[in-house]
Amino acid sequence: MTQSFKSPFNQSLTLTLGHLYPDQLNLYGDRGNILTLRRRCQMRGIELRVVGLGMGDALAPDEYDLLFIGGGQDKEQAPVAQDLYEVKGIGLWAAIEDDMPVLAVCGGYQLLAHYYRPAEGPDMRGLGVFDAWTIHRGWRSQRCVGDIAISWNGSTLVGFENHGGQTYLGTAKPLGRVLKGYGNNAEDHSEGAIYRNTFGTYMHGSLLPKNPHFADYLLDLALRRKYGARLDMLSTEEPEASNGANHSGLSLISGSTNGIVPTATLVQKSTILLTQLDDKLEWEAHASILERLGLHSEAAAVLRRLKG
């Protein structure tokens, strides 16, 4: 049953997501990430507005609460790289430095690093958000294709990767450690990168559908960034509220992790707005990929926690 939550000032909860280059960067089901965020908000009575930001559109950071940029082929990435740097760069940097949650997948991830060197043609200049760079060693080099599983915050993330470029991290912190698959470069077991609340990854549109805890983590970051100060104040005023509920009807729950990941590893503050959903199918799909990759103990742990 969908629940409708109000803020401490009796306002409906809304989030606005900026979808960068929805027509150019949309490979391998990357729209599935948008659909997942929309659905998980809808089931909680939270309105998620999705606004497309195409070529030539400026990015006004105060108009959005979270951002998403997907992956594309090299021929699509070249004009996007120029537009990202020249048109959207200042606004995107401002949003990132203000801790807005940003998810960048594959090509989008590469363009948030220093540069992407394609198999043919000149380097594509990135924004340099991540201290990292990507090199495609030619069409005869092995592509990184297939299911992937990584360790993340005491749990696992699973997904699908398909990239010819190999990304190398400088001082950037990786999103996680590769358990099976290729990751950034098939060499150092790193996958993705993190800067503040910006997350780069090679896992495509199966990422959020098969990882409900990561989807909720992004939504939690966005909600706490927008409403957190008022919620923290409310939580401080009513420390004895029972069962995590208060007079405003808000669900003050320490972690929306569906029993899979210890809350302390996910959430820095205690007050968030996400109630748990029935994610049985999502976690079974998650466990199925772990089984397929031969990660039997990790799959069994997921299923045990799900039953518990």
Side-chain angles (χ1 to χ4, degrees):
M1 179 178 177
T2 301
Q3 301 181 33
S4 181
F5 297 121
K6 301 288 185 179
S7 77
F9 297 94
N10 202 35
Q11 299 172 332
S12 297
L13 297 179
T14 63
L15 293 173
T16 301
L17 184 151
H19 186 178
L20 279 66
Y21 311 107
D23 296 326
Q24 291 82 15
L25 304 182
N26 56 9
L27 286 181
Y28 311 124
D30 283 339
R31 288 181 186 272
N33 292 313
I34 301 293
L35 295 175
T36 296
L37 293 172
R38 188 194 296 275
R39 179 59 176 162
R40 297 186 74 79
C41 283
Q42 181 184 42
M43 293 178 70
R44 292 163 166 133
I46 300 169
E47 181 183 0
L48 179 68
R49 302 167 181 162
V50 179
V51 179
L53 290 165
M55 301 289 289
D57 294 333
L59 195 164
D62 58 349
E63 295 181 4
Y64 305 98
D65 302 303
L66 63 164
L67 299 170
F68 173 76
I69 177 170
Q73 298 178 356
D74 286 2
K75 63 181 180 181
E76 277 114 16
Q77 279 186 236
V80 165
Q82 182 176 357
D83 183 87
L84 186 67
Y85 189 84
E86 296 180 356
V87 179
K88 297 179 178 59
I90 294 177
L92 181 54
W93 260 114
I96 290 170
E97 291 294 339
D98 195 35
D99 288 327
M100 185 181 298
V102 179
L103 177 60
V105 172
C106 199
Y109 166 35
Q110 294 170 349
L111 294 180
L112 292 191
H114 292 303
Y115 65 86
Y116 170 51
R117 180 165 298 161
E120 299 175 354
D123 290 358
M124 300 179 197
R125 185 175 185 178
L127 285 187
V129 174
F130 304 121
D131 182 17
W133 57 95
T134 303
I135 299 173
H136 194 309
R137 302 191 185 283
W139 303 116
R140 294 186 178 181
S141 62
Q142 181 183 9
R143 288 186 67 83
C144 301
V145 183
D147 291 329
I148 178 175
I150 70 171
S151 61
W152 177 75
N153 275 359
S155 181
T156 50
L157 296 178
V158 300
F160 173 80
E161 60 180 332
N162 187 347
H163 53 102
Q166 295 180 332
T167 297
Y168 298 90
L169 305 183
T171 60
K173 178 183 176 182
L175 176 64
R177 181 180 183 276
V178 175
L179 300 174
K180 283 294 178 70
Y182 298 96
N184 283 331
N185 50 53
E187 298 172 19
D188 61 16
H189 302 288
S190 69
E191 206 293 312
I194 300 174
Y195 175 74
R196 302 183 76 95
N197 286 338
T198 298
F199 306 89
T201 180
Y202 274 115
M203 292 185 280
H204 280 278
S206 60
L207 173 61
L208 298 187
K210 290 186 174 67
N211 297 282
H213 54 321
F214 191 53
D216 281 358
Y217 182 61
L218 296 174
L219 291 175
D220 172 50
L221 287 173
L223 285 166
R224 284 193 286 111
R225 179 177 175 271
K226 185 172 184 178
Y227 298 106
R230 285 173 284 181
L231 291 173
D232 287 343
M233 177 179 66
L234 181 63
S235 180
T236 301
E237 291 174 353
E238 300 192 37
E240 298 179 359
S242 62
N243 298 320
N246 63 28
H247 66 350
S248 298
L250 283 164
S251 180
L252 303 183
I253 301 174
S254 297
S256 176
T257 62
N258 301 290
I260 302 298
V261 186
T263 299
T265 64
L266 285 177
V267 184
Q268 299 301 316
K269 296 182 180 179
S270 61
T271 302
I272 68 172
L273 286 168
L274 298 179
T275 55
Q276 294 184 12
L277 301 178
D278 181 1
D279 291 327
K280 183 174 184 292
L281 292 178
E282 288 81 356
W283 282 115
E284 288 178 346
H286 184 109
S288 176
I289 291 182
L290 292 174
E291 284 279 3
R292 188 186 310 165
L293 293 174
L295 300 170
H296 303 297
S297 61
E298 287 83 356
V302 168
L303 294 176
R304 281 197 304 270
R305 291 166 185 163
L306 181 59
K307 291 179 181 178

